[in-house]
Amino acid sequence: MSKLPRWAAQHAATVPAMLLVAAAGWLGPGQALGQGQPKVYKVGQGRYATLTEALAEIPTTLDQSYELHIVNGAILSENVLINKVGTASRTLVIKPDNNAANTQIQGTITLSGAHYVTLSGANNVGSQQLSVVMNNAPDDAEPALVLTNDARNNTISGVRLLGNNTITDGGVVELRRGASSVGNDNNSFTGNYFGNISSTEVPANLVYVGSMSAASANDNVTFSNNEFDNFSAFGLSVGTNNNAWTITNNSFYHSLSAVAATRPATGQTALSFRGGTNSNSNTITGNVIGGTAAEGNGGVWTNTGTDDFIGMTLSWGTNAALPNVVANNVAKNINLSSSSSGQSFKAIEVVAGRAELGNNTVSTVVNNGSSGVNSLFVRGGTVVVASHAVPAGQLLSVAGGTTTVLNNLAIAGNLVLTAGKLVFDKDFTTSSRFTQTGGILDIKGNLYNYGAFISTLGAVQITGNGNQLIGGGTYYNLEVLEQGTKTLIGDVIIGNKLTLSKGIVATDENTSAAGQHKIVLPPLASIAETTTSYVLGTVEAARTLREGSTEDFGSMGFALAPASGSVVPSSAITVTRITGTAPISNNGNRGILRYFNLTSANAAPSGMRLNMRVEYANHELAGQPWEEQAFFRSANGSSPWQPKGVASRGTTATGYFATLDGADALGYYALATFQRPLPVGLTAFSARRQQQTAVLTWATATELNNRGFAVEVSADGQHYRELGFVAAPEGNSATARNYRYVDTEPGKQGTRYYRLRQLDHDGKVAFYGPQVVSFGAGSALAAFPTAFDNSFEVELTAPAAGIATFTLTDLMGRVVWAKRQEVTAGLNQLQAAPNCRAGSYVLTATLNGQRYQQRVVRK
């Protein structure tokens, strides 16, 4: 403490205390000492030429609040050690004096074990009027600011922190472990500018936070509203055992890249957070990466090097109860100008741990290298995505871990899956390109493919517990693992194996319209079905027959082997299997619900004799005795069907089989019974939805001894119950007859299978069908059919009357059809006939502020 002037010392007993304080130099002009007010020291003129001198007057454990005011224009060349321990009510503030501008500290400020210290660049007018500059050339290994040894509850606000620290494990600002026991906790960096000293002195890292021990983790550290400008490696680098951080609303940019001569040429990462397995409750939101000015503004951040550019890379803990959240971050105005073949841009890279992502976007980013612009790159860990945009020209890449997308996701760019697991809880729509070379794609909603869908390794799993749509494409392994009908909306090519553990795959929405879509089994591909999980529709496989060898055509329940001495066809034979419907001859003879078409590029050679084996399930008999099945052949799939006999028949572990020896022609082959010729020649049978009813119509060309038709329904295509009976007007007829039945049963939901059980007067029975009708899930808004040709019907169950607005939009959000209609409370219907191209659309109804949506497909 300074000595009092002689006059003050001589009159100490009578001079007022305020005068004694002023005489000691503690207060400047206009400053007063009052109860609860901080004690203010002015630095840079008069008594305190340096901060070190002023700090020497302050006790290590603060007995009250103190402020050190740096006077206008002061440049303090010193290294400053701050080890003061305060409390929430006893603080130390270092800041510019009122109206003081351009104050500067040249050296390193170290907060060692300091508590409740504020370093502020604000005067009474604005902020960033204080700069801390580590300009200690040629020593480029020193920071401008260090927090170490349990520095806690400190605030760095509105300060310009400039340095030239080029070492890889240091920065302009550093948080160090030191001799700490609990870590540098509860520190806040707000509204600061972290930058370089000059265009020729650019630091490697702006903020470097080293790895801590688990016991001394840096907890609850905040970086908000800061600017990170000009660095060669990392803007903010955080090591292991840093926990519960908040990094929000910061700008990472590179102003030097506005000048071609000073553009960076090394690999850069704006934010590297590698907190390790103990790091949870971290929040990274609202940050902007890119540009040559704050908020991604100014020019384009141009990097001329060949290394990867990463917006943020993340590796942390897995505690779902203490989530790590990454949301509303933006990368924009970035250009990787090199044409390096391996260079990539990754806006967000998840390496390990659990991350919850939402509404992160990338725009105006160009990578002239070959590895593209990745809006999200998952290397490992568990990633939960609420929403994410992948515009045209961008990538979403999954190379490990498990990524789960919670809501509908439409990707206009490319999706690349090389390893790990990618799960879509709802609908996934791709309009550009999906490439899979490994890993698992798990689809619980609908899968819409309107671009290139190519899987060369790995598996696509269909796991929704209910009905789903499956888009066309090339699948290496396609696995159906849950119940429900999975309907194709495009042709599917299997590279390795189609496995049905549960559920049914229907190749057509109306399974009687065989051939609309199909499953193709190229050479080496196969299919695995069970008696309860199978393909309903069309499967196709082409194989080349070899002498002395049996070909099973991908295990589709059909096999051919050249008989002894047979001529072997020179070209491959394509076998098309159709299940779920049966061929019918003009006289009414009907086969089982499985038949085959054999074709080839060349005609069957003379001397060809093939031994054929067909396997089928019990439900495909449709009531016919298996012991009476024999082969019939047709050249074109309709009459005449010629009997070919049977070599043998019997049972298998899952159903039945029949064999035919010496087939000498291609064409259609079916199994039917000789002993029970059908009395009815059915020429048509269809089922269509009308609102909440199903209208069944069928026609006969001739009838013999016909009693009538029992209409039966099933929820799974196997177990049927009778709905009603339609009697024939007369037992016999030589002219055409038309029949109709309306299913008005209430509460219909999901898929319903309809078939006819025809009875004649002598007790013989025949079956026709099934036909499939979908009734959705009973939502407030329904469209049917959901896959339409020219029009569809709309039902809206309104809670109250009002004016409803109906729109149909494509995947780009463009309205292709709209209508306003007054609706009443309850059920309302209207017809939609949009003029639109084939593809996926969203039907939206808006009524009294409520929105209802339903996806439809124009075929």
Side-chain angles (χ1 to χ4, degrees), residues 200 613-614 806:
T200 60
R613 177 186 171 98
V614 170
F806 298 87

Side-chain angles (χ1 to χ4, degrees), residues 524-750:
L524 305 181
S526 63
I527 183 173
E529 303 168 284
T530 70
T531 56
T532 57
S533 299
Y534 49 86
V535 174
L536 192 64
T538 306
V539 180
E540 178 184 288
R543 301 289 189 271
T544 300
L545 299 185
R546 292 175 174 81
E547 186 176 355
S549 177
T550 299
E551 177 57 61
D552 68 358
F553 291 85
S555 302
M556 66 162 66
F558 181 89
L560 288 178
S564 177
S566 169
V567 174
V568 178
S570 60
S571 57
I573 291 179
T574 298
V575 173
T576 302
R577 187 192 83 180
I578 300 97
T579 56
T581 187
I584 302 171
S585 66
N586 281 349
N587 67 358
N589 284 334
R590 175 185 177 278
I592 67 170
L593 300 177
R594 175 180 292 227
Y595 65 100
F596 301 86
N597 181 25
L598 281 61
T599 60
S600 181
N602 301 319
S606 177
M608 180 190 77
R609 291 184 296 110
L610 305 177
N611 296 333
M612 183 182 302
R613 177 186 171 98
V614 170
E615 297 180 1
Y616 54 95
N618 180 62
H619 69 269
E620 292 174 327
L621 284 168
Q624 302 181 46
W626 69 269
E627 301 92 337
E628 299 177 2
Q629 299 304 307
F631 284 89
F632 289 79
R633 177 191 173 274
S634 168
N636 56 14
S638 59
S639 294
W641 285 90
Q642 300 295 333
K644 305 300 289 185
V646 63
S648 63
R649 62 173 71 91
T651 61
T652 67
T654 58
Y656 307 94
F657 75 90
T659 64
L660 173 66
D661 290 344
D664 58 0
L666 305 178
Y668 288 81
Y669 285 84
L671 286 169
T673 176
F674 278 120
Q675 302 300 321
R676 297 195 179 190
L678 300 179
V680 173
L682 198 73
T683 59
F685 175 34
S686 68
R688 292 289 184 270
R689 176 178 173 180
Q690 289 186 1
Q691 288 81 43
Q692 288 304 110
T693 69
V695 178
L696 283 65
T697 58
W698 63 98
T700 62
T702 60
E703 294 184 12
L704 176 64
N705 202 28
N706 182 24
R707 179 184 163 203
F709 301 86
V711 178
E712 298 183 338
V713 69
S714 169
D716 58 8
Q718 299 179 58
H719 304 91
Y720 286 85
R721 58 185 174 84
E722 184 173 324
L723 283 173
F725 187 82
V726 179
E730 299 176 4
N732 303 315
S733 174
T735 60
R737 282 180 177 168
N738 296 309
Y739 294 87
R740 186 174 187 268
Y741 179 85
V742 180
D743 175 12
T744 60
E745 190 173 61
K748 290 187 287 295
Q749 291 188 13

